[in-house]
Amino acid sequence: GVAAGDGHAVVITAHGTAFVWGENRHSCCGREYPAELTVPLAMKLSSNQSSPLEGSDGLTIADVLAIQDAACGLEHTILVTRSGRLLVCGNNNFGQLGIATSELKSSKALKSVNHPNGGRFVSTEAGYGHSLMLDDAGDVWMTTQNGIECILTGKSALAIASGGNNSAVITAAPSGAKLLKRQFSMEEIEDPTSIVDAVHGMIEDLEGGKGNETNLSQEIARKSEELLRYPSYLNSLFVNPKQLDTLFERLLHACSADVMQELAMAFERGLKGGLDSLRDTRLI
């Protein structure tokens, strides 16, 4: 895993070692000096803090000290161990380390912070002056000037994010709620760019008198309907809107009255299908 803050970053190896580099403001890199780390260095517990962790709760030393997630704020760092504890360092002027500001203003070395209810944290995020944690019960915790407080419980949170002064949480859908449907699947329908190219080709055949006019007009109508049926196409996700403008402009000038009538019906079906798919994706 990797995390980046305002002036420093942390990367976690497959073995659970956290390496840090960048600006070391308020010792957010877990050491008193230097002022800036120009190469990644391993973050380690100081000797006076490692003892209380070793062997507690029947956990191995590897679980207690190995890192599984990290977050970097403006001037602080939060690590989550495999055992579910936090290891924190840096500025604590807003309690962003999960320790009351009355107890700690800043930390030059990593300090251990336990889950308030004895649970296990699984991931963390950091903003400028706050930190967000997700535990194994799906509850969300946030740092305050008094320590760590639970801000969301019983909602089965799946993911968290923080940036600046903001935070966001994704929760599981309520029981019985309609789940979002996929608007499209590249495995099930044709690539949109190839559809546009194919319609252009068929228009050229129609203009040049090549092929059967009835078959060509039916195929043009079918592919035009498919484009309109999937709103993601028309939302500039796959096709440049100018390409669609050019395509429909050519259709207006190249087709006979009979073909235009068939196209109008295809457009109507496609738009109706597109609106229906949008309606189905609404959660309310």
Side-chain angles (χ1 to χ4, degrees), residues 10 16-20 27-32 37 40-50 53 65-67 77 79 87-89 107-112:
V10 171
T17 301
F19 285 83
V20 62
S27 300
C28 61
C29 293
R31 61 200 71 218
E32 187 174 358
L37 279 64
L41 295 178
M43 302 186 75
K44 297 181 180 179
L45 284 173
S46 60
S47 57
N48 64 333
Q49 290 160 359
S50 60
L53 296 175
L65 301 183
I67 308 303
T77 302
L79 306 177
L87 299 178
V88 301
C89 63
S107 178
K108 298 176 181 178
L110 288 171
K111 287 186 175 294
S112 175

Side-chain angles (χ1 to χ4, degrees), residues 142-165:
M142 188 170 72
T143 58
T144 71
Q145 291 187 338
N146 298 317
I148 300 177
E149 295 182 2
C150 184
I151 61 170
L152 187 67
T153 184
K155 298 296 184 180
S156 301
L158 302 175
I160 57 175
S162 290
N165 296 318

